[in-house]
Structures are given as structure tokens and as C-alpha cells.
Amino acid sequence: MLKLDIPRPRAAAVAGSGQHGQQQSLPHGTLASTPLQMQKPSRRCKLHSMPARAQAQAQAEAPLAPVEQKPSRMQKNITWDTLGFGLEHVASSMFVAEWTPEQDWKGQMRPYGPLHLDPAAQVLNYGQSVFEGMKAQRSAKDRIVLFRPDQNAARMAAGAARLSMPAPPSDLFVNAVQQVVRENQDYVPPQGKGSLYIRPLLLGSGGILGLGPAPSYTFAIYCAAVGAYFKGGQTTPIDLVVEEHFHRAAPGGMGGTKAAGNYSPVLTTQLAAKQNGYADVVYLDAKTDTYLEEVSSCNIFIVKDRHIKTPELSGTILPGITRRSILELAASKGYTVEEAPVTLEEALKADEVFTSGTAVVVSPVGSLTHQGRKVQYGEPGVGGSVATELYDALTGVQQEKIQDSFGWVVPVV
């Protein structure tokens, strides 16, 4: 797991980018093995005048200390048929970049290991952090591909703006993700056995006492070989329960931002739901308790005849990249698609309900329970026909089994 290692009060040494602290030779057109300088963002964070802790501040902004290289875990050491969604097979290399007002984004590959943070780091005290979720997969064309990475870069930039953070430029983001995949390609499962889940992180790593933007920032990317998100399997219908007390987001809040702080608050209801036999929770709008918003970590859709409807992006719902792709795919197949408020009663009367997200892909909903009333969709244990069709279409494009007429797939290896 990614650990937070609080350093002792001395300047950290510059981290090497390969085994034994030596820099790696990278392919042409990729990130340089020496620190990469990008164009400076227009937003600048002012350094606070705190002479009493100048030494600690210098330490927090110093390059990351080297971490001992762990032995590489090759394909032969992973049982692909039993992959779960976790860190059992975290990849051995990650990307780390730093930003300060005096130094543009500069980063390199390094062994997977702890991040060194000042105890006064903004992210630890005030939560200045956004993240992304992506996947790399082996395709039917015998290559490793990404899916719409530019959209992840754009969403991180939007989240960074909402939290007053300097975002990594899109080219840095995409190139760094590609390099992480190249360096860890042995962790990409065989086609159809899973994927390499990629987690880009942007955090306020510089120390600060009063509330304000961090004086320095860290952009990191790590990855792990994973299987299905839900325990029953990728296309096994899930049972959801409607939450009646807590809300995930409110108008004017942070619901539409992939901020780290948006996720832990759902654990109370999610864990309670799982103890009662449900896979997850559906949240209602905070204003009227009438409309569906989303599940803990994925968007939701309802189907009636040939009409597919999903809650509109009103600021309380995450603008999912898989969500957007499903809407475009469905429209191309002749479905009527609509982004509009979805009432709970509409959902309970729907022909089908399904969820979407990077981790879950497309997951059919087997049942929805509200105030003890359980509505079953279709035959138990069998996914709906529309969800199945869209899952096959989406994964077909992602794995290059079918023609990518949208230009979504980006080859890496």
C-alpha cells in the first residue's frame, strides 16, 4: 500500500529513477529519465513567511528520498484467474513529480514506495487532494492500450481548479501515465483476465499551518493488476439499497469533483449496506430526497423500452468518463439517451438499472430496495439485455475486439 512516511528533520536526497538509484533509459518520445520541466501554470502559490520552521519547510519541498527497489514480480508469479480488486499485485514502479512556485512540474519514474511528507502537509491537515482512476488493457491486436486518457487529464485539471491547486499539464499527465504502463507492462493481465488499474494522485504536499493552498505539490501515479470490482464478478447483477438518512453531496458543494474527501464519508452507509447483504448504496438528492444521484463510487442509469436515462450533471454528480462513453455508445446504437433528473419511482418502475465507472465498467443492478420494498429487475442472477449489450460494446472497444469509431483507444505498447 502507499504509505505516508514522516521524514526526520534533514534534507532528503534526490531519488533515483531505476534500480539501485540509477536513472533508466527511456524510449524515444517518452518522459526523460532526468527531471522533466513543464510550462509553469498560470496560478502561483505564495510561500508563507515562517522563519521558525524554515528547515522543516525546506525539507518538505526537497526531492523525494530514494526507496529500495523491490524485486520485480513478473507475470509468472500472478494467478490471473483469481485476481481481485486490491493491492495484492501492486506494480514495482511509479511516477512522481513536484511543483513549487520557483520550479515548474519536474518528475521521473522511481520504485514504488512511501511518499515522504511533512506532518504539516496541507493534504494531511486540510485535505487538498484529487485523484483519477484509469485502466490499461491487453487488446485483441496484441498491444497494451489506454482508454480516453485525455479525459482523465481534463477532469483532474477541473478538480485541481476547484481546490486551488496547480494541475499537471495534459501532456505531462498522459505521457506519465503511458510511461508508468510501459515500465509495468508485466503487470497487465492477459486479455479478458483483468486490467492494470492506474491511480494518478495530486496532493498538496507542502507544509502549512493556517488554512490556505499548499506551498508545494506532488503528482504521483501508481498501478496494480486487478480483476472485477464487485465480488460476484464483472457482469453479475448487484443488489443496491437506497440510503434514507445520509447524502453524498449537496448543491454548491464538491459532489462533481473527484476529490479524495468525497469518498470516505460514504463508508458508514456502504459498510452497513454490505453487512445487510447489499453490494452498495444509492444516494438521493439532498434537497428533496426524491431524485437518484449516484452510487458510492459509480454513476447510475435506468432503462425503459429503448430509452436510457441518467441523472444530469448538476454539480453534485461526478462527470464519469465511462458514463459519458456509455451515453455516446448507446446513442450510436439507436437508443434514446437523456440526461435529466431521475425520480426514485422512475427507477423502481424501470425495465433495467445499471451502473458505470472505470472500476465497475458496466454493472447490471439485480435489485433496488427502498424502505424494505425490494424491486427485482429481470431474472435473478442474470444481467439485463441493455446493460449486457453496452458492456460488450464498451469492452469491445476498450480491448480492440471491435472497431473504435470514436478514437477513444490510445496504444501504449
Side-chain angles (χ1 to χ4, degrees):
M1 296 180 65
L2 191 64
K3 301 177 182 178
L4 299 179
D5 186 5
I6 305 304
R8 297 180 180 180
R10 63 170 181 264
V14 178
S17 60
Q19 280 190 326
H20 311 301
Q22 295 181 3
Q23 295 178 337
Q24 301 172 15
S25 176
L26 307 184
H28 176 72
T30 65
L31 294 173
S33 59
T34 53
L36 177 65
Q37 298 186 18
M38 303 303 297
Q39 182 178 355
K40 185 172 291 186
S42 58
R43 181 194 166 278
R44 298 177 64 87
C45 296
K46 295 182 179 179
L47 284 173
H48 298 261
S49 178
M50 292 182 283
R53 58 187 306 276
Q55 181 181 5
Q57 186 67 62
Q59 174 194 338
E61 295 174 3
L64 296 174
V67 174
E68 182 181 356
Q69 173 72 64
K70 298 179 180 179
S72 177
R73 288 158 288 187
M74 306 300 288
Q75 281 190 14
K76 64 182 179 180
N77 297 326
I78 301 176
T79 304
W80 302 114
D81 292 329
T82 58
L83 280 178
F85 194 89
L87 291 173
E88 290 81 4
H89 302 294
V90 65
S92 58
S93 299
M94 66 180 188
F95 176 83
V96 179
E98 302 286 341
W99 182 93
T100 69
E102 295 78 24
Q103 177 64 65
D104 300 330
W105 285 110
K106 185 168 66 173
Q108 60 187 7
M109 295 296 298
R110 56 162 287 180
Y112 176 87
L115 293 178
H116 295 243
L117 292 176
D118 188 315
Q122 210 279 5
V123 65
L124 297 180
N125 293 268
Y126 300 111
Q128 199 177 30
S129 177
V130 294
F131 70 96
E132 281 297 318
M134 310 170 66
K135 286 180 177 178
Q137 302 186 63
R138 293 190 187 272
S139 80
K141 295 183 178 180
D142 194 27
R143 57 185 184 175
I144 298 173
V145 298
L146 293 167
F147 184 72
R148 309 189 78 171
D150 59 315
Q151 297 299 307
N152 293 96
R155 187 169 64 180
M156 176 168 275
R162 179 66 177 83
L163 270 71
S164 301
M165 307 170 75
S170 181
D171 57 346
L172 170 61
F173 182 103
V174 175
N175 288 340
V177 168
Q178 291 177 326
Q179 189 57 40
V180 168
V181 174
R182 290 189 188 99
E183 294 292 323
N184 296 291
Q185 59 185 280
D186 289 329
Y187 291 86
V188 183
Q191 186 187 358
K193 298 291 187 180
S195 60
L196 184 71
Y197 188 84
I198 306 161
R199 173 55 56 84
L201 294 166
L202 176 63
L203 56 147
S205 50
I208 187 171
L209 185 60
L211 177 60
S216 59
Y217 293 85
T218 298
F219 173 51
I221 307 172
Y222 68 94
C223 59
V226 301
Y229 184 77
F230 291 115
K231 289 183 178 180
Q234 196 66 66
T235 58
T236 301
I238 59 173
D239 296 314
L240 300 178
V241 62
V242 178
E243 172 56 33
E244 300 176 44
H245 178 66
F246 291 105
H247 297 93
R248 178 188 167 275
M254 290 286 295
T257 301
K258 202 168 179 67
N262 279 347
Y263 290 82
S264 289
V266 309
L267 294 177
T268 297
T269 52
Q270 187 185 65
L271 293 173
K274 290 182 177 181
Q275 289 175 355
N276 289 304
Y278 301 102
D280 214 327
V281 173
V282 180
Y283 290 91
L284 300 176
D285 73 291
K287 200 170 183 178
T288 69
D289 279 329
T290 301
Y291 302 101
L292 299 190
E293 294 243 301
E294 60 180 276
V295 186
S296 298
S297 58
C298 47
N299 298 117
I300 193 165
F301 296 76
I302 67 169
V303 181
K304 193 70 175 179
D305 299 323
R306 296 279 298 176
H307 187 85
I308 298 176
K309 190 175 182 181
T310 192
E312 62 184 339
L313 299 179
S314 57
T316 58
I317 296 169
L318 188 72
I321 294 162
T322 307
R323 172 190 180 276
R324 177 175 175 178
S325 303
I326 287 296
L327 290 172
E328 295 178 43
L329 271 173
S332 74
K333 291 181 171 297
Y335 287 96
T336 301
V337 299
E338 182 182 7
E339 299 179 72
V342 177
T343 67
L344 176 58
E345 283 304 310
E346 281 183 281
L348 293 173
K349 295 176 181 178
D351 298 332
E352 286 185 45
V353 177
F354 63 89
T355 66
S356 74
T358 298
V360 306
V361 192
V362 176
S363 183
V365 174
S367 71
L368 184 61
T369 299
H370 176 242
Q371 295 182 344
R373 174 191 173 193
K374 180 179 180 179
V375 173
Q376 182 73 43
Y377 301 102
E379 184 180 345
V382 179
S385 60
V386 176
T388 301
E389 179 185 5
L390 293 174
Y391 172 84
D392 290 341
L394 179 64
T395 56
V397 171
Q398 291 176 331
Q399 299 175 18
E400 297 191 300
K401 294 178 182 178
I402 61 178
Q403 179 65 35
D404 174 21
S405 58
F406 301 92
W408 291 341
V409 173
V410 176
V412 179
V413 179

